[in-house]
Amino acid sequence: MQVESWDDIRVAMAVARTGTVSGAAATLGVHHATVIRRIDALEASLKARLFQRHTRGYALTDAGRALLSAATAADERFSQMASQIAGAGDRIEGDLIITSLPELTDLVMPRLVSVMARHPGLRLTYLTDVRLFRLDTGEAHVAIRAGAQPTEADYVVREMGLAQHVLYASPGYVERHGPIEDPRRHRFALPGTEGRGAPFMQWLQDRITPENIVLISNEPAAREAVIRAGLAAGPLPPGRTEGMVSVLSMPEWDSPLWLVTHVDLHRTPKVQAALSALRAEA
């Protein structure tokens, strides 16, 4: 037994409520012949007589009353579900996936934390990885990228700010080794594969040898520990430079930062809340 269309049930509900074919037809805005055809088809599908036909109209049978009760409950649940779905689009809640660069965490997270505090229904996933997450497949809602402006189709790209790459060292390191004039005379703590495209990394790779590198790590805190210990010079996240000395930077090392979203999700409240906070941080 299978009902081919929910529309047939809605027609039956209209007949049950008005008591006549003409009344149901007027309520639904269809011809009375359509109402009769739909009722006949529904009864044939269910193999049950839903209405007792008589000169004054249509009266429900026991089977009809059972159908009306179940259909009314289902219709109410559908209405509630539709209201919840419609309202959900206006609420800042649910999963929010943001991908970023490891060295931006100290700047990005305070802003995201403030968004989460204002909207307790948000569940944040914050990811840093070498690969570019695909926004078109839902791997992320917002991506923070550096370098050339992203050009993927259906992506909305907004400028976030400028990433300034600076090499730092401890005062003790500078006292022992001096400023970085010839990189071959210095030791470095550097990022791994995730940082190979950074302008300062490309500049260094032609000027140092493996013997100049004392640490390679994709963890900014690990590099910071070595740099603060006075064992090497290297890049530090913007929020972790207190007490350190800037030993080398170049204008050509600066690169733009981009906030990237997919066009289908760009206007959703939770994405807009995140973008507003992240642009304020920039």
Side-chain angles (χ1 to χ4, degrees):
M1 179 176 64
Q2 181 178 357
V3 177
E4 295 296 331
S5 172
W6 176 255
D7 288 340
D8 291 346
I9 295 178
R10 298 184 80 90
V11 170
M13 293 171 65
V15 173
R17 288 164 179 164
T18 62
T20 64
V21 168
S22 58
T27 299
L28 298 172
V30 299
H31 195 274
H32 73 277
T34 300
V35 174
I36 294 173
R37 178 171 54 81
R38 292 278 195 174
I39 294 297
D40 290 344
L42 181 60
E43 289 183 331
S45 176
L46 295 175
K47 295 182 174 60
R49 180 70 68 175
L50 302 175
F51 295 95
Q52 190 71 40
R53 281 81 165 168
H54 52 79
T55 56
R56 294 185 304 277
Y58 278 37
L60 284 167
T61 64
D62 288 343
R65 281 189 286 272
L67 175 70
L68 178 63
S69 176
T72 300
D75 196 43
E76 290 175 352
R77 286 196 293 271
F78 283 137
S79 297
Q80 291 171 358
M81 179 181 66
S83 297
Q84 290 171 355
I85 292 173
D90 297 327
R91 297 193 295 269
I92 301 176
E93 63 182 16
D95 294 322
L96 177 63
I97 306 173
I98 296 180
T99 69
S100 184
L101 308 173
E103 60 268 23
L104 295 180
T105 298
D106 288 340
L107 289 178
V108 168
M109 281 308 301
R111 289 293 178 174
L112 294 180
V113 166
S114 69
V115 175
M116 296 169 67
R118 291 194 301 272
H119 307 286
L122 273 178
R123 296 183 298 273
L124 177 66
T125 299
Y126 181 78
L127 304 171
T128 59
D129 201 292
V130 178
R131 71 182 181 92
L132 297 179
F133 289 81
R134 293 184 58 184
L135 278 66
D136 56 334
T137 62
E139 287 189 325
H141 298 113
V142 180
I144 302 174
R145 297 182 181 176
Q149 182 172 352
T151 58
E152 291 94 334
D154 297 328
Y155 282 13
V156 179
V157 181
R158 297 287 184 269
E159 191 168 359
M160 178 180 172
L162 193 66
Q164 296 179 313
H165 297 284
V166 180
L167 299 185
Y168 292 90
S170 69
Y173 179 92
V174 175
E175 184 178 344
R176 291 192 302 273
H177 300 281
I180 300 179
E181 297 175 351
D182 181 358
R184 292 171 298 181
R185 300 172 62 88
H186 289 266
R187 296 158 65 83
F188 297 92
L190 299 175
T193 54
E194 81 284 356
R196 287 177 181 171
F200 75 90
M201 289 288 285
Q202 295 178 350
W203 185 87
L204 280 174
Q205 70 181 2
D206 297 327
R207 293 170 172 82
I208 62 175
T209 66
E211 287 71 27
N212 294 106
I213 302 173
V214 300
L215 174 72
I216 293 177
S217 177
N218 63 353
E219 175 51 59
R223 300 196 300 270
E224 180 186 1
V226 171
I227 294 169
R228 286 192 177 276
L231 302 178
L236 288 175
R240 303 190 182 188
T241 61
E242 185 177 356
M244 297 292 98
V245 178
S246 171
V247 291
L248 187 61
S249 64
M250 297 183 179
E252 56 266 32
W253 289 0
D254 297 345
S255 59
L257 294 173
W258 308 99
L259 290 169
V260 189
T261 57
H262 192 272
V263 64
D264 291 343
L265 296 176
H266 177 72
R267 291 295 178 188
T268 58
K270 65 182 179 182
V271 169
Q272 283 296 309
L275 292 176
S276 177
L278 292 171
R279 295 191 76 179
E281 175 63 23

